[in-house]
């Protein structure tokens, strides 16, 4: 039963990812990304990372995918520029895909990974309390840095997306 | 046959490879950015799987940080794409060739 659930979510994730890459329509690609993220959240639940599954759905599916959809609609480029990729692109991406996959597969085949420990989730871990304790003791400095990073990114986004100010001396019209 | 670490790592590698292929294949900057996101979440899947099968929850805390970084990255990247579109009127990579000449 657990295998079936794993394969279902794995197929959802990989199929969504393929949909992102192969879809012509940008909106459909963003929705495929959403599908892939939901499959990944299911896999996180199978791995006993419940908090991360919830956060993935909130942050990625809720914010990132919605932001992508907003930008697609803002730029409004549906319909235009539907060209087929050139042979060079196709060949390069196929070779890159194959080489990356073969490399990881070879590593996995040679690696002596430990047999799956079929224990239950450790009682100490994977709970909200554990995360809180870790974040406020061991990882306190990274949390602070992330906070500053979020602030800086917010300022940067505001500055970047501001409309460029009109030139003081407008160029003479030809 | 139980689902082991191998399965999760293989799926993670497959996701990463799909994202990598997408970065090479696509011309639209937005889809290219989505492929980058795919590569990022592939790495998080690997981290969570290792953390689960080793019994050490530190990997999960790392994934928490990766999620925060990803949110920041998406916000800044999309702002840059919007600014690019305002200035150049296109988001297709092969038309953004100002550095080529």
């Amino acid at each position: 039963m657990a295998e079936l659930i794993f394969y279902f979510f794995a197929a959802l994730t990989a199929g969504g990812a393929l949909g992102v890459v192969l879809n012509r329509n940008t909106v459909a690609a963003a929705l495929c990304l959403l599908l892939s993220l939901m499959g990944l959240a299911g896999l996180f639940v199978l791995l006993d990372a419940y908090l991360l599954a919830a956060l993935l759905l909130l942050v990625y599916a809720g914010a990132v995918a919605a932001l992508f959809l907003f930008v697609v609609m803002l730029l409004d480029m549906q319909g235009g520029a539907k060209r087929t990729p050139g042979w060079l692109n196709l060949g390069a991406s196929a070779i890159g895909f194959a080489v990356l996959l073969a490399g990881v597969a070879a590593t996995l085949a040679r690696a002596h990974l430990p047999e799956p420990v079929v224990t239950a989730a450790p009682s100490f871990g994977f709970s909200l309390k554990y995360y809180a304790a870790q974040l406020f003791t061991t990882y306190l400095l990274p949390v602070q840095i992330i906070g500053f990073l979020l602030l800086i990114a917010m300022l940067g986004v505001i500055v970047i997306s501001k409309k460029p100010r009109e030139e003081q001396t407008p160029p003479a019209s030809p | 046959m139980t689902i082991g670490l191998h399965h999760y790592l293989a799926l993670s590698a497959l996701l990463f490879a799909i994202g990598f292929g997408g970065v090479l294949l696509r011309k639209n900057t937005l889809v290219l950015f989505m492929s980058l996101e795919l590569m990022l979440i592939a790495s998080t899947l690997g981290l969570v799987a290792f953390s689960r099968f080793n019994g050490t929850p530190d990997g999960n805390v790392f994934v928490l940080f990766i999620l925060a970084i990803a949110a920041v990255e998406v916000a800044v990247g999309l702002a840059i794409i919007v600014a690019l579109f305002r200035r150049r009127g296109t988001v297709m990579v092969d038309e953004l060739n100002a550095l080529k000449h």
Side-chain angles (χ1 to χ4, degrees):
Chain A
M1 190 59 201
E3 293 89 26
L4 267 182
I5 298 175
F6 170 79
Y7 284 122
F8 171 70
F9 281 125
L12 199 63
T13 311
L18 276 178
V20 171
V21 171
L22 297 181
N23 231 319
R24 290 287 181 85
N25 191 338
T26 315
V27 175
L31 292 179
C32 281
L33 180 69
L34 198 60
L35 200 69
S36 179
L37 289 170
M38 293 176 91
L40 193 75
L43 288 177
F44 277 7
V45 170
L46 283 184
L47 286 170
D48 294 322
Y50 306 115
L51 177 70
L52 286 180
L55 277 183
L56 190 83
L57 282 184
L58 281 178
V59 173
Y60 257 107
V64 169
L67 205 57
F68 269 114
L69 282 175
F70 268 127
V71 170
V72 170
M73 289 168 193
L74 188 69
L75 299 189
D76 190 23
M77 51 191 186
Q78 291 304 312
K82 286 200 173 165
R83 73 203 75 168
T84 53
W87 286 110
L88 190 63
N89 274 90
L90 268 178
S93 53
I95 289 174
F97 177 81
V99 165
L100 206 55
L101 209 57
V104 179
T107 312
L108 274 180
R110 295 173 66 102
H112 297 288
L113 292 174
E115 284 300 302
V117 273
V118 210
T119 55
S123 58
F124 65 90
F126 307 107
S127 70
L128 208 51
K129 202 170 173 181
Y130 179 81
Y131 282 107
Q134 285 288 299
L135 287 182
F136 277 94
T137 54
T138 313
Y139 297 103
L140 186 57
L141 185 63
V143 169
Q144 301 280 333
I145 294 174
I146 290 280
F148 272 112
L149 189 68
L150 282 168
L151 178 68
I152 293 168
M154 193 179 72
L155 290 178
V157 166
I158 292 173
V159 170
I160 290 174
S161 59
K162 208 168 57 174
K163 276 226 191 294
R165 190 178 299 156
E166 295 295 319
E167 293 293 326
Q168 300 297 333
T169 55
S173 55
Chain B
M1 179 182 172
T2 54
I3 299 298
L5 186 52
H6 278 90
H7 294 78
Y8 286 100
L9 291 186
L11 180 62
S12 169
L14 179 67
L15 267 184
F16 195 92
I18 290 174
F20 187 67
V23 169
L24 290 180
L25 179 67
R26 296 303 299 263
K27 294 291 180 63
N28 191 334
T29 318
L30 278 168
V31 182
L32 218 132
F33 205 50
M34 285 180 213
S35 303
L36 283 181
E37 291 301 312
L38 280 180
M39 290 160 81
L40 206 60
I41 62 172
S43 71
T44 65
L45 180 61
L47 267 177
V48 172
F50 270 123
S51 149
R52 171 68 182 84
F53 284 102
N54 281 332
T56 53
D58 284 336
N60 285 9
V61 181
F62 280 154
V63 173
L64 216 60
F65 289 122
I66 292 181
L67 283 184
I69 300 275
V72 168
E73 176 222 341
V74 165
V76 175
L78 285 178
I80 289 176
I81 290 176
V82 169
L84 196 67
F85 184 76
R86 276 203 192 126
R87 183 167 283 258
R88 305 290 301 271
T90 179
V91 290
M92 293 295 162
V93 172
D94 49 358
E95 293 170 15
L96 300 171
N97 53 5
L99 286 180
K100 195 175 170 184
H101 304 297

